[in-house]
Amino acid sequence: MEKKKRTTVLKSLLLTIAVLIAAGLFTVTASAASFRQVTDKKVKTGKYYVWTELNMNTYQKSLYFSKTSKGSKTKVATDTGIALTDGSSIYFGYQTSKNKKDNLTIYKYSMAQKKKSKVVSFNIWGTLEGINNNELIISQNNRNLKSKKYAFDIFSYNLKTKKKKVVSHICPHMEYNNRYIVGVLRKQPDGPGSSGPLYIYDIRKNKNILVRKSAQIIASSDEDYNNGLIYFYADGQWSPSWCLNLKKMTISRYGSPERPVC
């Protein structure tokens, strides 16, 4: 009898949740959804296709979405940095600088409502790099902060507690799939650069992974970045080049077998 009673209560609870979901009163928060980086590839996420387009005259990227792959498109913003979407909303940042005062403002755009809202603003020169649960992952260029030990900081900002926490000091070269940030470690007064210890910052695990103690990153194509490929010289310029594959988490020299990063 007791078991039957518990089963009845459980069924009633599940039925109540189902009704609330149908009514739109019981929803999963955006922080629990899976975000991905928006690229120049038109990819469907949720109900929408989201992508960027480069204007060859201004060299500025515009952010778009549409309900179908060939349907009319809606412009979200122009001249933004990294944009991230979970299929219902898009997060992106605007960077401005006036009279040596830097400002980064993060926005959230609802595709269903076609409405932009401000999330948070920082007095820094930086970029939105990723989203992990309720935390924004942001890189900060310490160009106007002479007292800083490192040329760059990557910090997390908790949307609930409003607290910041430094998680890495690498100078970001690229962000891949809202999972990895790849860059080198540079200290003041040298400033940011493309040579130094090469690290991967794992956004989900909040972990820094050393790839090489000394490396110089080689400029790659957008296609390489979309595929998670980074090329670098391991021992200075003109030395044999290596490939870091973020999809497989392997590194390899040309003509050599792949091996795990860590």
Side-chain angles (χ1 to χ4, degrees), residues 36-45 48-53 64-74 85 226:
R36 71 164 188 86
Q37 183 180 353
V38 181
T39 68
D40 57 351
K41 285 188 175 183
K42 191 180 291 187
V43 178
K44 188 175 185 180
T45 307
Y48 303 94
Y49 289 86
V50 191
W51 72 98
T52 61
E53 290 182 8
Y64 295 96
F65 77 94
S66 65
K67 288 187 176 181
T68 61
S69 61
K70 296 182 180 179
S72 59
K73 60 186 181 182
T74 300
T85 182
N226 290 340

Side-chain angles (χ1 to χ4, degrees), residues 42-244:
K42 191 180 291 187
V43 178
K44 188 175 185 180
T45 307
K47 297 181 180 180
Y48 303 94
Y49 289 86
V50 191
W51 72 98
T52 61
E53 290 182 8
L54 177 64
N55 185 320
M56 296 304 295
N57 294 321
T58 62
Y59 291 100
Q60 293 180 340
K61 282 188 177 182
S62 294
L63 183 60
Y64 295 96
F65 77 94
S66 65
K67 288 187 176 181
T68 61
S69 61
K70 296 182 180 179
S72 59
K73 60 186 181 182
T74 300
K75 180 185 284 190
V76 176
T78 299
D79 196 24
T80 67
I82 291 173
L84 301 156
T85 182
D86 63 351
S88 62
S89 59
I90 305 173
Y91 283 80
F92 61 92
Y94 268 126
Q95 179 66 64
T96 59
S97 183
K98 187 176 182 180
N99 298 326
K100 293 186 177 181
K101 292 184 178 180
D102 300 323
N103 180 267
L104 172 67
T105 303
I106 309 297
Y107 292 95
K108 177 182 178 180
Y109 184 92
S110 169
M111 289 182 277
Q113 299 176 355
K114 294 186 178 181
K115 184 179 179 181
K116 180 180 73 172
S117 58
K118 178 181 173 180
V119 178
V120 65
S121 186
F122 303 96
N123 294 323
I124 64 169
W125 184 269
T127 303
L128 173 65
E129 301 283 352
I131 298 176
N132 184 33
N133 293 324
N134 282 306
E135 293 185 330
L136 303 179
I137 308 299
I138 296 167
S139 63
Q140 171 179 274
N141 186 335
N142 295 324
R143 61 181 190 167
N144 293 326
L145 303 176
K146 303 302 181 182
S147 61
K148 282 283 187 176
K149 180 179 179 181
Y150 295 96
F152 263 81
D153 288 322
I154 296 177
F155 65 87
S156 62
Y157 176 79
N158 192 297
L159 293 170
K160 289 187 175 180
T161 65
K162 313 299 182 185
K163 291 183 178 181
K164 294 170 58 177
K165 180 176 67 176
V166 174
V167 295
S168 183
H169 298 295
I170 62 175
C171 171
H173 177 73
M174 71 161 286
E175 184 273 354
Y176 176 67
N177 204 27
N178 193 41
R179 177 64 192 270
Y180 301 115
I181 302 173
V182 181
V184 296
L185 183 67
R186 298 289 291 185
K187 296 183 178 182
Q188 299 285 18
D190 297 328
S194 59
S195 181
L198 180 63
Y199 278 90
I200 298 171
Y201 174 68
D202 189 324
I203 294 174
R204 293 182 196 170
K205 295 183 179 180
N206 186 22
K207 181 181 179 181
N208 289 286
I209 303 167
L210 177 63
V211 179
R212 298 286 299 206
K213 291 183 179 180
S214 179
Q216 182 172 347
I217 295 175
I218 306 170
S220 301
S221 65
D222 286 343
E223 185 177 357
D224 287 330
Y225 293 152
N226 290 340
N227 291 323
L229 302 178
I230 296 289
Y231 297 97
F232 64 93
Y233 298 119
D235 301 301
Q237 195 172 8
W238 312 124
S239 64
S241 56
W242 293 69
C243 177
L244 168 61

